[in-house]
């Protein structure tokens, strides 16, 4: 079990460019979550997948953001036409559902800087 | 939306001292969790609490789930340098069958050797 992995770890882009991040959850985990964390704050929920189905999206997820989990394994988060306000750490977490004590395990995050 | 108030925001202590931090909410949560985050890394789970009133220990860490289900505290005894980091409380809500986490603002712990 190698844990949740995220790539890239860091991304610097110019305003207006598109970026895509990847998350590989712990194998066998059917649930995958994306969070965003700005400096000095706790992570904020963005969206959630159960297998390949995206079941919940936060109002923080504007129409420039899209997330997919095509085969119910890895997930991608794309931001189109990036803005400076998108600069943040993007965290992915996975869990094995169907238990009261469901625990989310976080990846190391992708830190995005939009210039 | 739901918000968690975590205090203190930062702590500066001497090595060997005990630490206490807490989290309160206006909403009820069915699970409380405490995470630690180090620079450039994702949060790592320290303790999970599933029942109101539950008191759970993990080594030098002790956490309690408040009776009202609206608060929790975390204690660290005999602090050591590797305890440095940001500690987050999180409440867990059920949404569409999954569990969404709502985080506090964090407590930054600094230890003077």
């Amino acid at each position: 079990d190698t844990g949740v992995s995220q790539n890239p770890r860091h991304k610097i882009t110019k305003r207006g460019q598109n970026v895509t991040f990847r998350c590989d959850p712990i194998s066998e985990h059917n649930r995958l979550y994306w969070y965003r964390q700005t400096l000095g704050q706790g992570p904020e929920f963005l969206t959630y997948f159960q297998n390949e189905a995206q079941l919940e999206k936060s109002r923080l997820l504007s129409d420039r953001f899209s997330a997919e989990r095509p085969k119910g394994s890895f997930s991608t988060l794309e931001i189109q036409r990036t803005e400076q306000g998108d600069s943040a750490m993007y965290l992915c977490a996975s869990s094995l559902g169907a238990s009261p004590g469901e625990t989310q395990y976080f990846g190391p995050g992708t830190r995005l800087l939009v210039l | 939306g739901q918000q968690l108030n975590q205090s203190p925001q930062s702590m500066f202590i001497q090595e060997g001292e005990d630490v206490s931090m807490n989290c309160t909410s206006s909403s009820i949560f069915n699970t409380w969790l405490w995470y630690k985050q180090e620079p450039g890394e994702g949060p790592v789970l320290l303790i999970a609490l599933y029942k109101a009133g539950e008191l759970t220990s993990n080594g030098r860490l002790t956490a309690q789930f408040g009776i009202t289900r609206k608060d929790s505290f975390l204690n660290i005894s005999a602090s050591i340098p590797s305890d440095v980091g940001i500690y987050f409380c999180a409440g867990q809500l059920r949404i569409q069958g999954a569990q969404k986490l709502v985080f506090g603002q964090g407590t930054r712990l600094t230890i003077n050797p």
Side-chain angles (χ1 to χ4, degrees):
Chain A
D1 183 351
T2 57
V4 179
S5 61
Q6 292 187 245
N7 288 288
R9 294 291 308 274
H10 303 274
K11 179 69 177 179
I12 300 174
T13 191
K14 292 182 180 178
R15 189 177 52 186
Q17 297 294 306
N18 299 344
V19 294
T20 300
F21 310 141
R22 176 177 169 127
C23 171
D24 287 89
I26 293 172
S27 58
E28 297 141 22
H29 278 192
N30 58 340
R31 292 178 175 168
L32 188 147
Y33 303 78
W34 285 98
Y35 291 82
R36 182 173 71 184
Q37 185 178 25
T38 53
L39 208 59
Q41 300 296 319
E44 295 176 288
F45 171 81
L46 290 179
T47 190
Y48 144 68
F49 289 85
Q50 169 118 350
N51 299 312
E52 66 276 7
Q54 187 174 17
L55 297 185
E56 179 78 11
K57 289 195 289 186
S58 162
R59 58 180 171 77
L60 293 175
L61 214 65
S62 75
D63 56 5
R64 295 183 298 104
F65 288 69
S66 62
E68 294 182 341
R69 195 184 183 197
K71 298 181 180 178
S73 56
F74 73 92
S75 175
T76 58
L77 177 68
E78 180 183 17
I79 309 174
Q80 296 183 325
R81 305 181 304 281
T82 53
E83 301 173 356
Q84 288 183 325
D86 297 331
S87 297
M89 171 85 94
Y90 290 85
L91 292 161
C92 174
S94 71
S95 68
L96 185 61
S99 65
E102 177 184 345
T103 299
Q104 293 182 33
Y105 295 90
F106 283 83
T110 295
R111 183 169 295 282
L112 172 66
L113 177 61
V114 181
L115 302 175
Chain B
Q2 296 89 4
Q3 285 190 335
L4 299 187
N5 295 311
Q6 188 172 347
S7 64
Q9 285 189 316
S10 59
M11 301 184 74
F12 298 85
I13 63 168
Q14 299 292 326
E15 183 178 351
E17 289 185 11
D18 296 344
V19 172
S20 184
M21 59 191 79
N22 67 79
C23 212
T24 60
S25 170
S26 56
S27 303
I28 290 174
F29 291 100
N30 54 21
T31 300
W32 280 88
L33 307 117
W34 286 91
Y35 285 85
K36 179 186 177 187
Q37 187 174 29
E38 299 187 16
E41 300 295 329
V44 174
L45 182 66
L46 299 173
I47 290 183
L49 302 156
Y50 303 112
K51 296 180 183 178
E54 178 181 355
L55 183 71
T56 297
S57 292
N58 178 7
R60 292 179 296 107
L61 277 60
T62 302
Q64 184 160 30
F65 190 155
I67 290 290
T68 64
R69 293 198 287 159
K70 292 183 177 182
D71 62 297
S72 177
F73 72 75
L74 174 71
N75 289 339
I76 306 173
S77 63
S79 58
I80 59 177
S82 62
D83 291 334
V84 166
I86 303 177
Y87 291 79
F88 289 98
C89 61
Q92 193 161 274
L93 295 169
R94 180 174 293 278
I95 51 151
Q96 299 258 16
Q99 304 283 0
K100 165 186 170 183
L101 294 179
V102 178
F103 283 84
Q105 308 98 314
T107 296
R108 181 181 295 274
L109 180 62
T110 303
I111 297 176
N112 297 317

